[in-house]
Amino acid sequence: MTFLAPLHPAARPLGGLAAEVSPRRIHLSPPHLTGREAAALQAVLDSGWVAPAGPAIPAFEAAIGAVTGFTQVLATASGTAALHLAFRVLDIAPGDEVWAPGFTFVATIAPAVQMGAVPRFLDVDAGSWTLDPDLLRRELRAAARRGRLPRAVVAVDIYGQAAELDAILAACGHWGVPVVSDSAEGLGATIRGRHAGRGALLATLSFNGNKIVTAGGGGALASDDPVLIGRARHLASHAKDPAPHYQHSATGHAYGLSSLLAAVGRVQLADLAPRVAARRAIFARYAAGLADLPGLSFMPEAPWGMATRWLTALLVDPVRFGTDREALRESLDAAGVESRPVWKPLPLQPIFRDAPAAGGTVAEALFARGLCLPSGTGMEAGDQDRVITAIRDACRA
């Protein structure tokens, strides 16, 4: 028997006339399953290893290492958990400064703030939308003169584009400041032939439902330093000391990843390369389909690497396009298309209104004009045509 869902109120017949059901909503970056996840999940269920233990977890960690090149990988309950562990193994203490670009998601800095650290936000470069290395160098010199260097600097990969890690590492290395790479949005991206995040002391990944590869949740902390990952692994399992009873010399966290999620993530990782190719093709199709419209420009690809185009992001010039970013977003929403403004700079967030910052005009301009478009790997050509048509219809130039 087939059951039909009730019509959306706006799609119900009026005056006895038939009306079409509203078209399916197109989402920003929905999970894309391979078809192999069910078998992987069943294998874990059959094994009985469903907790954060068992062979599925080291197999997932090994797969992450193979894809990224990191020699040490710890699977975690989330990307935020991985960041928290990174700050803990760096011994971030109350009053320490942790620097990060302001153009990012709050999770980049939230764990450090919760540990008592003082955030300092730096602007991004207009040519990459990632941390501005020139500004970083200037701020580090000034901090050294003040006698207050940061305890850590966090570089962030944005919308599938790797930060200019080599320049950031050189700037921080001069002063002995460790670098953490928040690569939650960078899986599959490259910088000068190596995977995003490689070279940082610690890097974090996310396998959230909207990412290019998902486990339905989860994350990872990666490094080439076995001592740091060993400490993080200890903290991730409640910091239990080796003993036949429960003994603790420090407090830790329940940050282990479920074997079920690890099995899903491992299956998905095998498709990373074709997914990167698919997202880049989606970006290219947007660029071609909107090329003749005035007032639209797309996030540039930095010359130092290959971006995955995890999300296609564009900028709207309200004068030339004839309407602003927010009006375009509302038009897309009315057409059944989900879109989202680019990151609101953290210095503009209420919680960080008193935090020190350097620059910010680039990030603020990006937020005022930037919009992320549906970019899911499973997006069909017809869905993308709908998005392109809705954007063209919204143009008032």
Side-chain angles (χ1 to χ4, degrees):
M1 182 180 295
T2 301
F3 294 91
L4 296 178
L7 293 177
H8 186 278
R12 288 177 180 149
L14 297 176
L17 298 176
E20 293 185 0
V21 175
S22 298
R24 176 177 55 84
R25 186 166 176 80
I26 300 172
H27 293 286
L28 193 68
S29 183
H32 181 204
L33 300 182
T34 68
R36 304 188 302 274
E37 289 85 359
L41 285 168
Q42 190 61 54
V44 173
L45 291 171
D46 291 344
S47 75
W49 290 104
V50 297
I57 295 171
F60 183 39
E61 292 171 343
I64 295 170
V67 164
T68 62
F70 283 104
T71 61
Q72 309 293 321
V73 178
L74 167 64
T76 60
S78 67
T80 306
L83 281 162
H84 191 189
L85 291 171
F87 295 135
R88 283 212 60 179
V89 300
L90 290 178
D91 297 319
I92 301 297
D96 285 344
E97 284 196 7
V98 175
W99 294 6
F103 190 67
T104 183
F105 182 51
V106 68
T108 295
I109 199 69
V113 172
Q114 290 157 2
M115 294 169 67
V118 177
R120 184 177 181 84
F121 299 114
L122 277 62
D123 208 351
V124 293
D125 177 71
S128 69
W129 299 14
T130 64
L131 180 60
D132 183 341
D134 293 332
L135 177 60
L136 174 63
R137 279 189 287 268
R138 294 196 298 270
E139 288 298 306
L140 285 169
R141 284 196 297 268
R145 289 194 296 269
R146 295 193 303 270
R148 185 168 170 75
L149 285 164
R151 185 67 188 83
V153 167
V154 186
V156 183
D157 302 331
I158 290 292
Y159 301 135
Q161 177 139 278
E164 222 299 33
L165 199 54
D166 292 335
I168 294 168
L169 289 169
C172 291
H174 181 77
W175 302 104
V177 176
V179 174
V180 175
S181 178
D182 180 350
S183 295
E185 301 175 25
L187 184 65
T190 62
I191 173 170
R192 297 185 177 91
R194 68 183 191 275
H195 191 276
R198 283 297 308 280
L201 185 60
L202 293 155
T204 62
L205 300 169
S206 172
F207 301 101
N208 194 27
N210 63 352
K211 296 300 188 289
I212 195 167
V213 162
T214 181
L221 180 66
S223 178
D224 291 321
D225 188 327
V227 175
L228 289 178
I229 296 300
R231 285 186 60 199
R233 196 176 296 277
H234 176 65
L235 291 169
S237 57
H238 283 298
K240 290 181 286 190
D241 293 337
H245 50 273
Y246 287 101
Q247 180 168 302
H248 306 269
S249 301
T251 58
H253 315 277
Y255 278 170
L257 182 69
S258 160
S259 289
L260 294 170
L261 299 189
V264 173
R266 186 184 178 196
V267 166
Q268 292 248 317
L269 266 179
D271 278 2
L272 178 59
R275 289 183 176 209
V276 170
R279 298 258 178 167
R280 287 180 63 84
I282 288 168
F283 172 88
R285 198 160 187 266
Y286 275 131
L290 300 170
D292 62 315
L293 292 186
L296 295 182
S297 59
F298 289 86
M299 179 181 180
E301 185 169 40
W304 53 75
M306 182 192 73
T308 66
R309 302 296 188 181
W310 167 57
L311 291 181
T312 289
L314 55 74
L315 298 177
V316 182
D317 181 334
V319 174
R320 297 182 61 218
F321 188 71
T323 191
D324 62 16
R325 185 281 314 277
E326 189 58 17
L328 175 57
R329 186 193 65 80
E330 291 173 351
S331 294
L332 289 171
D333 184 61
V337 175
E338 180 185 18
S339 62
R340 186 173 299 166
V342 299
W343 296 122
K344 181 177 182 179
L346 294 183
L348 299 182
Q349 299 287 354
I351 187 63
F352 295 125
R353 60 181 176 270
D354 297 324
T361 57
V362 175
E364 290 176 14
L366 293 176
F367 174 61
R369 297 170 53 202
L371 190 69
C372 296
L373 302 180
S375 307
T377 313
M379 174 180 268
E380 298 178 356
D383 289 338
Q384 195 169 5
D385 287 340
R386 275 181 58 196
V387 180
I388 291 171
T389 298
I391 294 172
R392 298 186 69 86
D393 289 346
C395 182
R396 297 292 180 264

